[in-house]
Amino acid sequence: MTGSDDEVSIEINAPPSIEVRTGDTEDVQPVMITGATQQSSQPVMLDLSSQNVKFVMGPNGQIIAIEKPAFTRNDFLIGGGIPFAIFFIPILMMMITGNFTDYNHEEVTLTKEEGTTNYTGEFEIDLDNQEIYHCYINVTDYDSNNGYVSCKEYGSRADFWADVSNNGTTERISAGYWDGEKGKITFDSGTDYGDAVIVAFEYSEIAEDESSIFEFFEEIAWMTCCLGLLASLVMLIVGFASGKPGMGWGGLASLVGSPIVGILSSLFLGW
């Protein structure tokens, strides 16, 4: 081994020096980063004059402008349409499938027997095909001190009642009846009502069969009535809480409008 031949020389290169410029930096150009996704460098500006902007106090006491959630028609239709459909569809089906009958109205004059308080008359219908739906008594020369008189119908019979005052107390007594089999009417409450008493009857054809479809929708209408109102309340709360004012206002409209529609529907159906 010779010392000169076996020596290995290692040459170490020092890293390049870093030059720090403290002078004018106007010549330094910004570096643009390019890629697949590009974001706009334009700042998002809010129209502070818009009604959709509200101002709130920030955590550091500064005023911050926040854009209000927009009112959309689709949200309103969802918030109001779904609860109203739950509420109204069974009622609508009842209107479609209901058996509506025209009622006949007839007034019968009862005459007083001489020297008594008994009033009599006659009224006949075909009990095989017709039945009494409603009746009431109208007394001429009515005096409130005579008491209240009423009529209760049972299809082929009607009973009359009267409220009579006795020693400061009011007692309801039987005051006669209408016998559909014989067609005879007698009314006597022990009170003189004048020369005549009028009894009004409303009657109709007997329904041959009940509509099973109508009864089905009548049963579920009571349940969907409460369910629809509950859904309106849920839509109202969820809509405003989740930043969807259209849904909230739709739920409120359904909550207010459904009872009104229900009352009108009940009048139409004769409930």
Side-chain angles (χ1 to χ4, degrees):
M1 292 177 55
T2 62
S4 59
D5 295 336
D6 295 336
E7 291 181 357
V8 178
S9 65
I10 300 175
E11 185 175 332
I12 300 176
N13 295 324
S17 61
I18 300 176
E19 181 180 359
V20 178
R21 299 178 59 185
T22 60
D24 189 8
T25 58
E26 292 182 358
D27 296 336
V28 179
Q29 300 295 325
V31 180
M32 180 177 294
I33 301 175
T34 60
T37 302
Q38 296 183 357
Q39 296 181 351
S40 174
S41 60
Q42 297 295 328
V44 178
M45 302 297 294
L46 293 178
D47 183 6
L48 299 182
S49 64
S50 174
Q51 296 181 354
N52 289 332
V53 176
K54 65 178 180 179
F55 297 91
V56 298
M57 183 72 70
N60 297 327
Q62 72 276 24
I63 302 298
I64 302 175
I66 299 177
E67 187 176 6
K68 296 179 182 179
F71 180 95
T72 62
R73 183 175 60 180
N74 290 338
D75 288 342
F76 181 84
L77 294 177
I78 293 174
I82 293 177
F84 185 80
I86 296 174
F87 180 92
F88 184 67
I89 286 179
I91 298 179
L92 178 63
M93 297 305 299
M94 290 173 58
M95 295 180 180
I96 296 175
T97 60
N99 182 19
F100 302 102
T101 306
D102 293 330
Y103 294 98
N104 301 308
H105 179 87
E106 186 168 346
E107 294 183 353
V108 180
T109 300
L110 308 183
T111 57
K112 184 177 66 172
E113 296 180 0
E114 187 69 26
T116 68
T117 57
N118 184 41
Y119 297 81
T120 59
E122 294 185 357
F123 173 65
E124 295 182 356
I125 60 175
D126 183 6
L127 294 179
D128 292 333
N129 301 311
Q130 297 173 326
E131 62 181 353
I132 296 297
Y133 169 73
H134 180 62
C135 64
Y136 61 91
I137 300 177
N138 181 19
V139 292
T140 59
D141 300 329
Y142 177 71
D143 184 356
S144 59
N145 296 324
N146 293 334
Y148 175 74
V149 293
S150 61
C151 176
K152 177 63 177 177
E153 68 283 342
Y154 299 97
S156 61
R157 178 183 172 89
D159 290 336
F160 306 137
W161 302 88
D163 293 340
V164 178
S165 298
N166 186 13
N167 295 327
T169 61
T170 301
E171 180 184 2
R172 173 159 291 191
I173 63 172
S174 176
Y177 59 89
W178 166 70
D179 186 352
E181 297 290 341
K182 298 178 180 180
K184 299 294 183 180
I185 303 175
T186 178
F187 174 73
D188 187 357
S189 66
T191 302
D192 189 348
Y193 295 99
D195 294 333
V197 171
I198 297 176
V199 181
F201 293 94
E202 294 181 359
Y203 59 97
S204 64
E205 299 290 335
I206 299 176
E208 297 182 358
D209 55 351
E210 295 292 335
S211 174
S212 59
I213 299 178
F214 176 84
E215 292 178 350
F216 170 75
F217 286 110
E218 186 178 22
E219 289 293 332
I220 67 173
W222 297 107
M223 178 182 64
T224 56
C225 173
C226 299
L227 185 60
L229 295 177
L230 180 60
S232 299
L233 186 61
V234 171
M235 290 293 184
L236 188 156
I237 297 174
V238 172
F240 288 117
S242 61
K244 295 182 177 180
M247 180 181 295
W249 286 113
L252 179 62
S254 178
L255 186 64
V256 174
S258 294
I260 298 176
V261 174
I263 294 173
L264 296 178
S265 301
S266 64
L267 295 176
F268 178 80
L269 292 171
W271 286 352

